[in-house]
Amino acid sequence: DPSPYFTISAFAGNPLYIALRQVPEVQASTRAQEVWRELQSVPEQSRTGLRVDYPPVLRFKQAVLEAAYAHFRDQVLGKDAKRTQKFEIFRKENAYWLDNYTVFRSISKAEQAGWRNWKDHGLRDREPAALEKWRGEHHDEIQFYQYVQFLFDEQLKSVRRYAHQKNIRLTGDMPGYVDGDASWAYPEAIDTGFTSGAQADRYSVIG
């Protein structure tokens, strides 16, 4: 979901905000460029006046990023020492949240339901054996989600450096409220019985 008030993670960045033109593997991958050309009309068709239909745009970016990841996995990882090291450092420094997030994304895609309704109760209940088995069987997909977060982190740091050069200070917004799915990873830290927020105005045509 594009809304910052409906996020499944208090740590991960939304892939919707990744600038594809600034991703090295998008530029280097013939397949990523082909996918871009095939779907290039999607972003424009999703924009109507001041409104944007985000789901098609996200699917467009997902398709391009998947092609970019394939290039990264096959042509960069383990071959380009500098970029491989950056990726490994990112994974190590962010392991405290990255593993939970990427495993969750992978399982959610397969289950197509909120985690409380997952058919695999071993995964639902975070049983170590079930999670380890899933990681082994879905390593590539999990690594894709890690790669996407790596790109988001790279671009965020680039924006921060540029802002500092212009004497602009960026501050973050603490995600005090997250979607209920976030409680899968941190059930002891999230009060799932508490909700808050402003509801849409039923008497207004624009909410």
Side-chain angles (χ1 to χ4, degrees):
D1 193 292
S3 171
Y5 303 105
F6 191 76
T7 174
I8 63 172
S9 173
F11 302 100
N14 193 325
L16 187 65
Y17 302 111
I18 292 177
L20 296 179
R21 296 185 188 280
Q22 297 177 19
V23 176
E25 289 77 30
V26 169
Q27 302 304 318
S29 169
T30 300
R31 180 54 187 157
Q33 293 295 318
E34 290 174 350
V35 172
W36 192 317
R37 286 192 294 271
E38 291 169 3
L39 302 175
Q40 62 184 348
S41 64
V42 172
E44 287 302 321
Q45 292 175 353
S46 300
R47 185 180 297 112
T48 305
L50 298 176
R51 295 178 177 272
V52 174
D53 186 10
Y54 285 110
V57 178
L58 187 55
R59 289 193 292 271
F60 159 72
K61 289 199 171 186
Q62 177 87 1
V64 176
L65 288 171
E66 286 175 353
Y69 166 69
H71 179 87
F72 175 79
R73 179 196 61 210
D74 299 337
Q75 304 299 327
V76 178
L77 199 58
K79 299 174 183 177
D80 182 328
K82 186 175 181 179
R83 191 143 176 81
T84 296
Q85 183 182 39
K86 285 184 178 180
F87 180 61
E88 294 300 342
I89 289 174
F90 169 77
R91 292 206 294 189
K92 183 176 180 180
E93 291 181 345
N94 295 278
Y96 66 96
W97 66 267
L98 189 63
D99 179 66
N100 277 325
Y101 169 77
T102 53
V103 170
F104 178 82
R105 288 295 306 273
S106 176
I107 300 173
S108 293
K109 182 179 178 181
E111 290 278 357
Q112 292 292 301
W115 69 267
R116 294 175 182 82
N117 297 315
W118 286 354
K119 295 177 181 178
D120 189 321
H121 291 184
L123 296 173
R124 181 196 66 185
D125 299 335
R126 296 182 55 82
E127 294 177 1
L131 289 175
E132 193 61 30
K133 183 173 184 290
W134 185 272
R135 289 188 187 96
E137 294 176 349
H138 298 84
H139 172 267
D140 191 57
E141 183 179 36
I142 291 170
Q143 187 168 261
F144 163 70
Y145 289 120
Q146 294 172 344
Y147 169 71
V148 171
Q149 291 304 308
F150 167 64
L151 296 178
F152 187 94
D153 184 71
E154 275 193 322
Q155 294 191 4
L156 180 60
K157 286 178 178 176
S158 177
V159 169
R160 186 182 295 119
R161 286 194 297 270
Y162 178 81
H164 286 179
Q165 290 171 3
K166 301 298 181 180
N167 293 318
I168 299 172
R169 177 175 293 181
L170 302 181
T171 58
D173 184 13
M174 181 177 291
Y177 302 109
V178 292
D179 179 58
D181 280 340
S183 62
W184 176 77
Y186 307 100
E188 73 287 349
I190 297 177
D191 183 353
T192 57
F194 178 81
T195 60
S196 179
Q199 299 299 318
D201 183 350
R202 70 179 67 184
Y203 301 108
S204 170
V205 295
I206 60 172

